[in-house]
Amino acid sequence: MKKPVEKNAGKNRKVQEWRRERSLLFLYSPLLSFFLGILLAFLLSSLLISWVGASPLLAFKALILGAFGSLNGFTETLVKATPLMLTGLGLCVAFRSKVWNIGAEGQIHLGALATTLMGIYLPWFPSFISLPLTGLAGFFAGGLWAAIPGWLKIRWGVNEIITTLMMNYIAILGINYAVHVPLKEPGGFLPQSALIQPSVELPILVERTRLHAGILLGIAGAGALHILLARTTLGYQIQVVGLNPDAGRYSGIPVGKIILIAMVLSGGFAGLAGMGEIAGVHHRLLENFSPGYGYTAIVVALLAHLKPLAVILVSMLFAALIVGADTMQRVAGVPNSLVLIIESLIVLFVLGSRSLFHVRYPLLFVKDNEHKTTDGKLRIS
Amino acid sequence: MVGVLASGVRLAVPILLAALGEIFSERAGILNIGIEGEMLVGALAGFLGTFYTHHVGLGFLIGMGASGVFSLIMGFITITLKEDQVITGIILNILALGLTSFVYRALFGTSRTPPSIKPLTPLKIPALGDIPYLGTILFHQNPLVYLAFLLVPVSAWILFKTQFGLNLRAVGEHPRAADTLGVPVERMRYIAVMLGGIFSGLGGCFLTLAQLNRFTDNITAGRGFIAIAAVIFGKWNPYGVAVATLLFGIADGLQLRLQALGTRLPYQFLLMLPYLLTIVALIGIVGKSKPPAALAVPYQKDN
């Protein structure tokens, strides 16, 4: 406070120089680290591929052709991208407010349950009434499931990481029970519910494929959330709560309410993903209908830098990996679990290179208060 | 009932081991969600070690070593690079799931008869094992069961009675103060994360080498998460955590028994119990017991 003026001026000039230099890195590094991560992940996994005695080039060719090489492959990629996209979008909202919602998997299950109940018990309406109603039900089922840990957090300060994680298991076990007992198809043998009525099914976009209208919901949702986060007061408040809840509180932002809204939105989108899976793909509730979409979506949201529009692309990339990996397994004999390895390696390398680009530089002048926010935690923008 | 309790004790062991590791990790300020993955790595490595060396003891060592090395990834990213612990933990779980499944398939393919190993045999403790009921429940178990329960007081002693334990807790409560006093914060955190990895690996080994005699994909099935729950439930104290894991283990044993008996009572609700209890405990405990103050906060040396 009472430091000599000249000294500060000199320091400020230096800081400004640094900042100019660094701004270039800030501009390039998210994309740079993203591609670097992908490159390194593929390099490392080609080692694994050669270890199982396959040719990495052939394997990757099979992966790409499997995901994009045919109409069936490409639409299947979009089908898998839909739940990742919807769930990832919701997580962008929660993570921006620094609420660690790890419970998307459970919220997807709740959305699926609500959709099934609507599909079985809703009296017949034309689709244009049934579908929106079902969508709302899915959204609110997921949203309410997410609101519980949100409420526990603001009411008692209970750590949401643990509660959302625990609630995943509760939801999955609940669905497991539902398809075994109360919702089990009458007279059926398998643990699955009866088929939902056709008026609740999402329309198929390309004939003879499984591509359903859910993807449109995802793209529209991305646009809506982009506007919400970038242009509205609520979006700004979510951002502030994420960066510094205390500052938010002092400036009159109802922090608790914002956290709750963020949770409901993120759970709601996960619920929509569950709705898409039942109304668009399976048309009935069954166990293991989600192969961990809720967890992969966390990775998707993070790699997209919590930007809704980027979620569209990243979710397609990950879906392509999932679909391509099956082809790779068939054609090149590479176990499809490789895709999990590639996914996680991409993120690990992105995290690593991001640290190199972002954290090291602010470290050089940590006394400059502005940089305290770039403390190596999840970057918001 | 004796059977249920005995199997409950046995089922509690892998969770207990992982939870003990997690205590060290969390006490040092690292919320390690990746222990599920570390358990998986330990389970596979221990299995492979035993399968190829035909020696269970070596298998255990290899399993613990592998998960210890695996936990270094967690350490490097969260301690050295100071990235977010939650993200890293989740990623490590996905990595371990993929890696173990990939390696297993690469080595054994998809054969109809899965390879298995000769498991660790139960060891009856001479005099104590003859006590009716209690003997069967407590003293007719795997040697590792005894080791796991022995590790409870040992861990408590290390944490609360040694200089090392004091330093470790200081690093988790107030890293800056610890640093000022000359405690090497980063090194302590690395050691704690490694301890977590080694303990989890041992827990994972228990699954493949003492319980199931073989490896299957995702063999841990969420036990790592239950361990995290047990740590909260047991208030970051080895004794409390042991009680919590025993409760979870017995609930699990009961559930298995009910499933075998084919009762109408839905076993899914029993399976939910640990998770529900944890949430309730979190609500009830807050105020009475707080997690380490610097949990999940990366430490940044100020200069």
Side-chain angles (χ1 to χ4, degrees):
Chain A
M1 268 179 267
K2 294 237 163 86
K3 275 176 199 162
V5 182
E6 292 99 324
K7 204 177 155 193
N8 258 346
K11 201 190 100 190
N12 280 340
R13 202 164 40 241
K14 216 171 153 191
V15 164
Q16 270 170 2
E17 276 167 28
W18 269 109
R19 213 178 270 154
R20 208 171 309 125
E21 238 171 84
R22 209 162 38 86
S23 66
L24 278 174
L25 281 166
F26 266 114
L27 198 64
Y28 288 121
S29 59
L31 269 181
L32 194 74
S33 56
F34 183 66
F35 286 115
L36 200 69
I38 294 182
L39 192 72
L40 285 172
F42 273 89
L43 274 179
L44 212 66
S45 33
S46 53
L47 288 180
L48 287 171
I49 293 173
S50 3
W51 179 57
V52 295
S55 147
L57 278 180
L58 280 181
F60 289 138
K61 197 178 144 204
L63 189 134
I64 292 166
L65 282 181
F68 299 110
S70 63
L71 177 69
N72 203 40
F74 183 61
T75 51
E76 209 43 34
T77 297
L78 295 179
V79 170
K80 294 271 191 298
T82 304
L84 291 177
M85 196 185 297
L86 283 164
T87 312
L89 285 172
L91 289 176
C92 286
V93 182
F95 291 174
R96 283 227 191 180
S97 62
K98 283 255 170 69
V99 185
W100 290 114
N101 177 13
I102 313 296
E105 186 72 8
Q107 291 142 21
I108 292 175
H109 276 75
L110 262 286
L113 177 67
T115 306
T116 311
L117 291 175
M118 293 294 273
I120 294 175
Y121 297 114
L122 190 73
W124 189 90
F125 293 116
S127 274
F128 69 87
I129 298 177
S130 285
L131 272 177
L133 280 177
T134 310
L136 279 177
F139 185 93
F140 280 107
L144 285 177
W145 194 247
I148 300 171
W151 183 72
L152 292 177
K153 181 184 170 73
I154 52 184
R155 175 70 180 76
W156 281 294
V158 178
N159 184 329
E160 79 279 9
I161 298 169
I162 309 290
T163 43
T164 50
L165 199 56
M166 299 292 123
M167 285 177 69
N168 280 342
Y169 285 94
I170 297 173
I172 293 167
L173 287 165
I175 298 301
N176 185 305
Y177 170 69
V179 296
H180 272 95
V181 190
L183 283 181
K184 192 172 172 185
E185 189 177 18
F189 185 70
L190 294 168
Q192 56 185 25
S193 78
L195 283 168
I196 57 172
Q197 49 176 300
S199 63
V200 181
E201 287 177 12
L202 280 165
I204 293 291
L205 295 182
V206 180
E207 266 188 48
R208 304 250 283 276
T209 70
R210 300 203 298 170
L211 184 62
H212 57 86
I215 186 105
L216 303 178
L217 206 60
I219 292 168
L225 280 189
H226 174 74
I227 293 169
L228 174 89
L229 289 171
R231 298 280 147 84
T232 64
T233 315
L234 178 64
Y236 172 76
Q237 289 177 329
I238 286 175
Q239 196 104 325
V240 172
V241 168
L243 288 173
N244 191 341
D246 289 330
R249 207 166 276 123
Y250 290 133
S251 59
I253 294 175
V255 173
K257 203 174 118 194
I258 296 293
I259 286 178
L260 210 56
I261 291 174
M263 269 313 249
V264 170
L265 270 174
S266 87
F269 270 84
L272 277 181
M275 184 252 181
E277 287 308 282
I278 301 304
V281 182
H282 300 292
H283 301 154
R284 55 163 33 122
L285 191 61
L286 60 167
E287 276 182 273
N288 308 325
F289 71 90
S290 162
Y293 287 132
Y295 297 104
T296 310
I298 297 174
V299 182
V300 169
L302 293 170
L303 275 184
H305 270 243
L306 309 187
K307 293 199 160 101
L309 297 180
V311 165
I312 299 180
L313 287 176
V314 180
S315 60
M316 298 229 306
L317 171 78
F318 274 45
L321 279 176
I322 297 171
V323 174
D326 286 333
T327 315
M328 192 172 67
Q329 175 160 315
R330 246 190 353 264
V331 177
V334 178
N336 67 356
S337 39
L338 186 73
V339 66
L340 295 175
I341 303 178
I342 297 180
E343 271 176 24
S344 42
L345 285 181
I346 293 177
V347 185
L348 283 179
F349 286 127
V350 169
L351 282 179
S353 54
R354 201 169 64 176
S355 297
L356 291 177
F357 287 125
H358 285 307
V359 181
R360 294 293 176 235
Y361 291 91
L363 268 186
L364 293 173
F365 39 88
V366 271
K367 275 177 192 148
D368 188 1
N369 270 330
E370 263 184 68
H371 296 286
K372 286 269 163 81
T373 47
T374 58
D375 57 358
K377 298 270 270 188
L378 183 73
R379 285 190 53 76
I380 295 300
S381 51
Chain B
M1 198 58 215
V2 171
V4 168
L5 289 178
S7 74
V9 170
R10 208 161 38 242
L11 290 165
V13 168
I15 306 170
L16 173 61
L17 286 166
L20 286 175
E22 183 73 12
I23 296 181
F24 283 105
S25 188
E26 290 198 16
R27 282 281 186 174
I30 306 283
L31 176 62
N32 189 355
I33 292 187
I35 54 168
E36 170 85 7
E38 288 167 10
M39 283 180 91
L40 257 179
V41 169
L44 179 67
F47 175 77
L48 293 179
T50 312
F51 187 81
Y52 289 115
T53 65
H54 304 286
H55 193 289
V56 178
L58 276 177
F60 273 111
L61 284 180
I62 291 170
M64 285 156 70
S67 55
V69 171
F70 187 72
S71 70
L72 277 178
I73 308 177
M74 178 82 192
F76 180 71
I77 295 189
T78 60
I79 302 168
T80 303
L81 298 184
K82 300 174 204 322
E83 283 292 343
D84 193 276
Q85 297 173 6
V86 180
I87 300 171
T88 314
I90 293 168
I91 300 305
L92 283 192
N93 286 335
I94 298 177
L95 178 64
L97 190 62
L99 205 59
T100 51
S101 155
F102 184 90
V103 169
Y104 183 80
R105 196 116 318 131
L107 290 175
F108 300 110
T110 42
S111 55
R112 280 194 175 271
T113 46
S116 59
I117 45 106
K118 227 178 102 207
L120 211 58
T121 43
L123 181 79
K124 187 175 155 190
I125 295 201
L128 294 169
D130 292 327
I131 306 171
Y133 305 118
L134 208 62
T136 327
I137 296 168
L138 291 179
F139 302 113
H140 204 122
Q141 298 274 15
N142 243 294
L144 204 61
V145 176
Y146 307 127
L147 176 68
F149 283 97
L150 191 69
L151 280 173
V152 174
V154 171
S155 304
W157 179 75
I158 293 175
L159 270 176
F160 301 116
K161 294 281 189 280
T162 63
Q163 183 65 41
F164 170 78
L166 182 68
N167 288 352
L168 190 125
R169 284 182 292 133
V171 163
E173 288 295 342
H174 203 313
R176 180 130 301 146
D179 196 8
T180 316
L181 293 172
V183 177
V185 176
E186 299 204 340
R187 197 191 309 158
M188 287 307 288
R189 287 190 164 181
Y190 262 107
I191 294 172
V193 167
M194 286 273 278
L195 274 176
I198 292 168
F199 273 73
S200 312
L202 189 60
C205 283
F206 185 83
L207 291 173
T208 45
L209 301 185
Q211 244 171 16
L212 301 161
N213 319 333
R214 65 169 74 110
F215 180 83
T216 55
D217 282 353
N218 195 18
I219 193 174
T220 47
R223 285 185 181 82
F225 296 124
I226 299 221
I228 296 174
V231 171
I232 298 163
F233 207 74
K235 303 182 186 182
W236 294 267
N237 180 314
Y239 294 110
V241 167
V243 173
T245 48
L246 272 176
L247 276 178
F248 293 168
I250 290 166
D252 207 9
L254 200 61
Q255 166 271 126
L256 284 174
R257 177 58 56 95
L258 284 175
Q259 238 177 314
L261 289 176
T263 55
R264 299 189 69 89
L265 198 85
Y267 66 89
Q268 289 94 345
F269 288 101
L270 273 167
L271 276 177
M272 278 180 200
L273 225 58
Y275 307 110
L276 278 171
L277 279 175
T278 305
I279 294 175
V280 173
L282 274 171
I283 302 167
I285 282 171
V286 170
K288 275 178 277 170
S289 163
K290 278 201 301 201
L295 190 61
V297 184
Y299 178 59
Q300 188 83 72
K301 237 190 170 117
D302 233 353
N303 47 347

